[in-house]
Amino acid sequence: MTGALEEVRVRVDLTAVVIAVRAYVPHVLTVGRAAPAPALAALPFGPLQPGHRSLQAGLRAWVERQTHLRLGYVEQLYTFGDRVGTVAELRQDINNRTISIAYLALVSIGSEGLPIQEGWRPWYHFFPWEDRRAGGSPLPSVLLDRLLDWARSTGPRLDKDRVGRLHLTFGLDGAPWDEERALERYEMLYAAGLVPEASLDDGLEPPADLAPVAGAAMFADHRRILATAISRLRAKIKYRPVLFELMPPTFTLSALQKTAEALSGVALHKQNFRRLIAQQGLVEDTGETATGTGGRPAKLVRFRGEVTLERPAPGVRLSATRRGSFP
Amino acid sequence: MTGALEEVRVRVDLTAVVIAVRAYVPHVLTVGRAAPAPALAALPFGPLQPGHRSLQAGLRAWVERQTHLRLGYVEQLYTFGDRVGTVAELRQDINNRTISIAYLALVSIGSEGLPIQEGWRPWYHFFPWEDRRAGGSPLPSVLLDRLLDWARSTGPRLDKDRVGRLHLTFGLDGAPWDEERALERYEMLYAAGLVPEASLDDGLEPPADLAPVAGAAMFADHRRILATAISRLRAKIKYRPVLFELMPPTFTLSALQKTAEALSGVALHKQNFRRLIAQQGLVEDTGETATGTGGRPAKLVRFRGEVTLERPAPGVRLSATRRGSFP
DNA sequence: CCGGTTATGCTCTGGCCGAGCATAAGCGCG
DNA sequence: CGCGCTTATGCTCGGCCAGAGCATAACCGG
C-alpha cells in the first residue's frame, strides 16, 4: 500500500438550506456575507466544531447561532467537495481543503409565533425560470438563445447530443416540463456560462445583459446547493408527507394546494388535487371553517400523522393542469 | 461569534459500494479486513489523500488500488458521520473524528473481460430477508418474534406506534412489501439489537441463536452503507436506466428481467415486464438470437442510450407478480 | 337580490396495469 | 420423427386511476 499514510485532514462546513413558505411563495433563509464585494446572499453555514455531537447537531447549532431559528425537519442533501469555491481557492494549500455537507430543513413560519427572521428570500429570486405556475412564457429569449448557441457549439468532448439534452431539460419543443430537474437546469446554465457564478469562478466579468434574467447569484456554490434542495424537495413531496412540515397546524385544502404549487412551480388541477388528498387520507376535518377567503368558506383540516403507518408512500401526488405554451 | 475558530479537522474516508450481478445474483465487492478478529467483510475504502483531485476521483483511485477494478457508473450515496464506528471509537480524541462519504458504483462483470475479482459476495448473504423472489415465507420466526417483542416494549421515548411501523416496514399482516425499504428494515433490526453489529457496538456478545438468520456482519458500519445502497438502487432502477449499467452489451429480455428481479428481490410478471420495456423504447433488436436457453431462442437486444433524450424518466418500472403469503 | 369568488361534489373517458390465455420455436428423448 | 418440456412472444380483458370539465354550494360586497 503505497502512501497509505498521506491522508488529508479537511475542514467540514455544515450548510443549511432552510425552507419556509410565506404567502404561497417559497423562501430560503439567508445570511449576509461581506466576503465578496457586493455582499452576496449566503446560506447559513459554519465549520464542524469539537462540541458538535453529530453532523446534524452541528448544523442545528450553526443555524441557531446565526439566525436564532430552531429547526424541526432536517435531512441530508449532498456532500460537495469536488468544486470548492473558486479556482483561486482550489490552488490553495492542498491540506486546506473544505468539503461541505448540505442539509435541507423545513420550517413553518408564522405558526407558533416564530420570530420572523430577516434574511428570508424568495427562492424564485435565485431561480426565476423555475416558476411556471402562471403557465406562459418559458425562458427569456436571451437565455434561450445563448443556451442554444452553447448546445450547438459542440465542446471538445463527447456529449454529442447537447441540443437534445437541452430540450429535455428545459422542456422545449413539446418536451414536458419536469419541475424536478431544477438542479440539471442550473448546472446547464452554469456550464453554458450564463449564471454570474460561472464567470466569477473563471475570473471573468459576468455578461451584463443577462443580469436581469439569470437570477441572483449567491455566495460560493450556494446557489447550486439551493438548486439541489429544490430538486430534492420537489421530488420528495410526491412520496413523503413533507409538505405538511411547511403548513400551520390547521389549514384549508386550497392553502395546501397553493403551497404545493409554490414549491413545485407548476399549477395543479384543483378538483383532482382534492380527490388525491382525500383518497390518501392525508388530512382530517377539524370541524371548523375558514372564512374570509373571498368566497365560500373552506373547511379547516389537519394532517393525519398516522398515514405514515398505513400507506406505503404517502405523499402529495401532483396532477398538473395542462396549460398551453404561451399564446 | 463565540468560538468561531475552534473548527475540527477530520479524516475523510471514501467508501465504495460496488455492485455487479452474476448469474442473476447481485454481488457486492468486498475486501478482507483483519482488524476485528474474525476478519469481517469490508467495503473498499480509504482516506482522502492529497493527490485526489476530487472526492469521486479519490474513490476511484482507492477501489482501483485495492481491487484492480476500474469503475464506470458512480454516484454519491450518503455521508456518514453521526455514528462513527463503535462506542469505544467515539470516545477517542475529538479531533480524531472520521466521516465517511459513501458512493454507489455499478459494473458489469463478465463483459469486456474484466478480471473476475476475489471478494464478490452475494448481497443477500448480508441481507437474507431482502430476497423475496421465491415468494414464500417472509421472515424467520426467530427474528419476527424478537422484533415484535422489541416493538411492544415501548422504549422510554416517544415513538408510540413502533408496532405499526414494524408492520409497515416488514410488510406484515397484509401490508405490502416495499422492496425499497431495505435500509429501514436494517435500521429497525439494528435498533432491536438483532444484528451482530448492534451488540458489538455496545460491547456485548451477539445472541447466538440469531446467527443463522441475521445475515453476515460487516466491518464497522459497512452493512448499513450497503443497505443504503440497496435501497437507493432499488428505487433508482425505476426511473433511471441504471439497470443497463449492470448488463452486458447485448442481452435477452429474460436476462434483463432476471437482473431486475435479482436487484429488487421480488418476482415480476413476465409479459407485463416485456410490455413496459417495449413501450418505453428502452431497447432495440440486434437481429441476433440467443440459443441454448432451454426453450425457444430469445432475441438479443441492446440498450438504446437515446431514451435519456426522449423520455422524462426512463426506468424499468416493475410490475410485480402477486404471490400469496406462504401456504 | 345579483354578480363575483371560492369551495366542493360528481361524471366521463382514455390510458395504464395486473392477470392470464394462447401460440411459437427451440431441445432431448424414445 | 413425433412428443413432451421449456422458454419466448403476442394478445386480450377488466379494473383502477388520472386528466379534464360540468355543476352546485356558500359566502361577500354592492
Side-chain angles (χ1 to χ4, degrees), chain A residues 254 270-271 274 293 295-296 299:
Chain A
S254 283
K270 187 163 186 164
Q271 295 91 329
R274 325 182 103 249
T293 53
R296 172 175 172 174
K299 286 190 209 166

Side-chain angles (χ1 to χ4, degrees), chain B residues 28 30 40-43 126-127 197 216-223 226:
Chain B
V28 57
T30 63
L40 293 172
L43 301 172
F126 305 103
F127 300 96
E197 297 93 317
M218 296 184 81
F219 175 75
D221 59 348
H222 287 192
R223 191 145 65 136
L226 178 55

Side-chain angles (χ1 to χ4, degrees), chain A residues 54-70:
Chain A
S54 71
L55 297 177
Q56 212 184 87
L59 178 93
R60 289 174 189 271
W62 271 115
V63 172
E64 214 161 319
R65 188 190 294 185
Q66 294 184 353
T67 70
H68 307 285
L69 184 65
R70 185 160 251 141

Side-chain angles (χ1 to χ4, degrees), chain B residues 3-327:
Chain B
L5 291 179
E6 359 157 7
E7 50 184 60
V8 197
R9 297 278 168 153
V10 305
R11 194 180 110 114
V12 172
D13 270 348
L14 303 168
T15 309
V17 182
V18 187
I19 302 293
V21 177
R22 188 160 58 183
Y24 309 127
V25 175
H27 286 71
V28 57
L29 186 57
T30 63
V31 297
R33 282 276 149 182
L40 293 172
L43 301 172
F45 78 97
L48 179 66
Q49 294 185 332
H52 296 153
R53 286 203 327 278
S54 71
L55 297 176
Q56 212 184 89
L59 179 94
R60 288 174 190 272
W62 271 114
V63 171
E64 214 162 317
R65 188 190 292 185
Q66 294 183 353
T67 70
H68 308 284
L69 184 64
R70 187 159 250 141
L71 297 181
Y73 177 91
V74 172
E75 74 172 70
Q76 195 185 104
L77 262 185
Y78 198 80
T79 299
F80 299 84
D82 293 351
R83 52 187 85 221
V84 209
T86 68
V87 171
E89 286 171 3
L90 274 178
R91 298 220 179 88
Q92 287 180 351
D93 176 14
I94 195 76
N95 245 320
N96 212 9
R97 296 168 85 146
T98 299
I99 66 171
S100 61
I101 309 179
Y103 287 80
L104 168 64
L106 305 178
V107 301
S108 149
I109 42 179
S111 73
E112 22 179 289
L114 282 179
I116 305 297
Q117 312 291 326
E118 291 302 312
W120 287 110
R121 311 283 297 273
W123 82 22
Y124 294 121
H125 185 60
F126 305 103
F127 300 96
W129 56 86
E130 291 294 339
D131 191 355
R132 291 291 195 106
R133 282 176 286 181
S137 88
L139 207 58
S141 57
V142 199
L143 276 187
L144 185 53
D145 292 346
R146 297 244 203 164
L147 273 172
L148 281 166
D149 286 350
W150 166 80
R152 289 190 187 118
S153 71
T154 308
R157 304 298 183 83
L158 18 130
D159 211 354
K160 72 162 189 266
D161 202 350
R162 283 218 284 228
V163 180
R165 275 203 320 150
L166 172 64
H167 281 235
L168 196 64
T169 306
F170 281 88
L172 308 176
D173 254 8
W177 172 263
D178 182 353
E179 75 277 357
E180 295 181 26
R181 303 205 175 209
L183 176 59
E184 284 174 63
R185 283 186 284 271
Y186 175 76
E187 291 192 327
M188 203 168 267
L189 287 166
Y190 188 102
L194 302 181
V195 291
E197 297 93 317
S199 311
L200 295 172
D201 285 359
D202 288 339
L204 304 174
E205 197 64 26
D209 56 330
L210 292 181
V213 294
M218 296 184 81
F219 175 75
D221 59 348
H222 287 192
R223 191 145 65 136
R224 179 184 306 270
I225 298 177
L226 178 55
T228 309
I230 292 174
S231 280
R232 175 78 65 91
L233 185 53
R234 284 180 170 180
K236 196 145 195 176
I237 54 176
K238 294 179 191 164
Y239 61 94
R240 285 292 144 89
V242 288
L243 186 53
F244 302 99
E245 305 286 342
L246 297 160
M247 304 296 299
T250 74
F251 49 87
T252 67
L253 285 181
S254 283
L256 187 67
Q257 178 181 352
K258 283 184 197 148
T259 305
E261 291 176 330
L263 296 174
S264 64
V266 297
L268 304 177
H269 183 106
K270 187 164 187 164
Q271 294 91 329
N272 292 344
F273 181 84
R274 325 180 104 251
R275 179 175 58 188
L276 287 176
I277 301 296
Q279 271 176 357
Q280 302 222 12
L282 284 167
V283 300
E284 64 191 358
D285 277 15
T286 63
E288 296 170 277
T289 57
T291 102
T293 53
R296 173 175 172 175
K299 286 190 208 166
L300 277 173
V301 298
R302 77 171 70 86
F303 173 53
R304 285 185 65 243
E306 315 91 272
V307 281
T308 42
L309 301 174
E310 300 162 359
R311 321 198 104 252
V316 177
R317 308 225 282 303
L318 311 178
S319 55
T321 49
R322 303 248 173 275
R323 308 216 184 183
S325 336
F326 60 107

Side-chain angles (χ1 to χ4, degrees), chain A residues 123-142:
Chain A
W123 82 22
Y124 293 121
H125 185 61
F126 305 102
F127 300 97
W129 56 87
E130 291 293 339
D131 191 355
R132 291 292 195 106
R133 283 176 286 181
S137 89
L139 207 57
S141 57
V142 199

Side-chain angles (χ1 to χ4, degrees), chain A residues 286-305:
Chain A
T286 62
E288 296 170 278
T289 57
T291 105
T293 53
R296 172 175 172 174
K299 286 190 209 166
L300 278 172
V301 299
R302 78 171 68 87
F303 173 54
R304 285 185 65 242

